[in-house]
Amino acid sequence: MKKTALITGATSGIGRATAHEFAKQGIKLVLCGRRQQRLDSVQKALSRETDVHTLNFDVRDKNATFNAIGSLPDAFKNIDILINNAGNAHGLDPIETGSTDDWDAMIDINVKGLLYVSKVIIPSMTERKSGHIINIGSSAGKELYPKGNVYCASKHAVLAITEGMRIDLNPYGIKVSAINPGLVETEFSQVRFKGDSAANNVYKGYKPLQPEDIAEVIHFAISRPAHVNIADVLMFCTAQGSSTIVKKEN
Ligand code: NDP
Ligand code: 8X3
C-alpha cells in the first residue's frame, strides 16, 4: 500500500523539494503551509505523479493546526511519515538588542509549532505501532554562532525534542530522526533579514547546499529497511567547515 507523508512548510525550500522527491516515489502527500497560491501550484505540479491534499494553517495557531489536520479525509488521515520542516529564523542580532517579536516568532514556529503538529499526528502512529517522524533541525542546533542566540536555541530544542520523541515512542516502534543542514539556498535568508539586501550575500562566493540535496537525504532516511533508523544527520556543503567557517571565493 502507498505510504502517506505530511510535510509542513511545503510551499518553499526544503519542504517543497521533499514534496517533489516523495512524489517521484509515489508517496501520497499532505502538503502544508500558509501561502495558498503556492500550495495550489505545488499540488498542480505533483498531482500527475501522486495523490496530493493541501492544508493551509499557521503552525503557531494551536487550534488551527489541530482543526486542519483533524479535518483530513479518510484517504489521507493515516500519516506514515511526518516531516516537521516549517520554520525559519527572524533577525540576526546580538542578544542585548534582539527583538522580542523575533524571539516569539522563532520559539512559536520552530518549537511550539513542531510540537502542535506532532501532538495531532502521534496518536494515529502509536495506535498503529508504526510511523516515522523526521524533524528538520539545523547545524545551529549543534553549534552556536554570533547573533544566532534564539534561533540556535530553537534548533537545540528541536534536537532535544527529537531525542525525547525517540525515547518515548520507542515502545511503539516509531522511528524518529533529525536531519540537520548547514547553509541551504532557500527563502530562509529573505525571511531572516526581512527582505533586506543582507540576504543577497549569504549564498554568494561558494556553492551552498540546495534544497534537493536535503530532500534526497530525507528520502534515504525514510526508505531504509524496517530495522534501520537514521537517527541524526549533519549536512554541510563542501565549502562549509562549521557555522562560522565558510570558504568563499573573492
Ligand atoms: P523557506 O523559508 O524556504 O521555507 C520555510 C517554510 O516554512 C515555508 O514553506 C513556509 O511556508 C513554512 N512556514 C514558515 N512559517 C510558518 C508558519 N508560521 N506556519 C506554517 N508554515 C510556516 O526555508 P527553508 O526551506 O530553508 O526552511 C525549512 C526548514 O529548514 C526550517 O525549519 C529551517 O529552520 C531549516 N533549516 C534551513 C537551513 C537553511 O540554511 N535554509 C539550514 C538548516 C535548517 P508559508 O510561508 O507558506 O507558511
Ligand atoms: C540555518 C543554517 O547557519 O543560517 O539553520 O543557522 S544557519
Side-chain angles (χ1 to χ4, degrees):
M1 212 169 85
K2 274 186 175 183
K3 292 208 164 168
T4 303
L6 184 144
I7 304 174
T8 65
T11 54
S12 171
I14 295 168
R16 183 171 58 194
T18 304
H20 280 263
E21 182 67 29
F22 282 11
K24 274 196 263 169
Q25 317 296 335
I27 296 169
K28 284 166 60 175
L29 295 171
V30 179
L31 304 180
C32 310
R34 295 165 302 172
R35 287 170 287 180
Q36 189 59 47
Q37 277 192 335
R38 295 275 192 106
L39 287 172
D40 292 343
S41 67
V42 184
Q43 180 173 35
K44 196 168 165 217
L46 302 183
S47 291
R48 265 169 270 127
E49 293 173 290
T50 190
D51 300 328
V52 182
H53 188 86
T54 63
L55 293 176
N56 185 329
F57 62 93
D58 185 330
V59 297
R60 281 174 292 194
D61 184 334
K62 182 166 46 178
N63 290 331
T65 301
F66 288 2
N67 290 337
I69 298 175
S71 78
L72 280 171
D74 285 351
F76 289 92
K77 74 173 185 216
N78 284 333
I79 304 299
D80 303 294
I81 302 156
L82 166 59
I83 310 294
N84 272 319
N85 164 74
N88 35 45
H90 292 257
L92 183 70
D93 300 295
I95 197 74
E96 67 275 18
T97 56
S99 140
T100 52
D101 286 346
D102 286 346
W103 297 350
D104 285 343
M106 291 185 278
I107 301 291
D108 289 350
I109 299 168
N110 302 355
V111 182
K112 291 166 69 181
L114 179 150
L115 287 168
Y116 296 157
V117 171
S118 305
K119 173 81 179 161
V120 210
I121 290 174
I122 285 172
S124 83
M125 291 184 169
T126 52
E127 209 172 287
R128 287 177 293 142
K129 293 198 163 44
S130 76
H132 194 162
I133 300 173
I134 297 199
N135 295 328
I136 305 303
S138 170
S139 53
K142 293 178 177 279
E143 184 189 13
L144 269 287
Y145 54 83
K147 304 179 189 173
N149 46 65
V150 178
Y151 177 67
C152 295
S154 75
K155 290 299 183 176
H156 275 68
V158 169
L159 290 196
I161 292 165
T162 304
E163 283 183 38
M165 284 178 169
R166 195 160 48 240
I167 293 164
D168 293 347
L169 298 176
N170 173 272
Y172 304 96
I174 295 169
K175 296 186 189 186
V176 184
S177 312
I179 309 288
N180 305 290
L183 292 153
V184 191
E185 190 171 13
T186 63
E187 293 173 14
F188 179 86
S189 291
Q190 288 167 35
V191 174
R192 168 169 252 177
F193 295 107
K194 305 170 172 97
D196 188 277
S197 58
N200 299 331
N201 295 325
V202 176
Y203 308 114
K204 283 213 176 118
Y206 68 104
K207 174 81 175 167
L209 290 168
Q210 298 300 301
E212 293 74 19
D213 299 323
I214 318 304
E216 282 180 9
V217 171
I218 294 172
H219 181 257
F220 178 81
I222 62 119
S223 58
R224 293 310 84 209
H227 68 289
V228 178
N229 180 33
I230 305 292
D232 188 90
V233 176
L234 175 62
M235 287 180 74
F236 282 133
C237 65
T238 307
Q240 185 167 16
S242 73
S243 285
T244 49
I245 297 175
V246 182
K247 183 174 176 291
K248 295 190 179 186
E249 305 300 328
N250 292 320

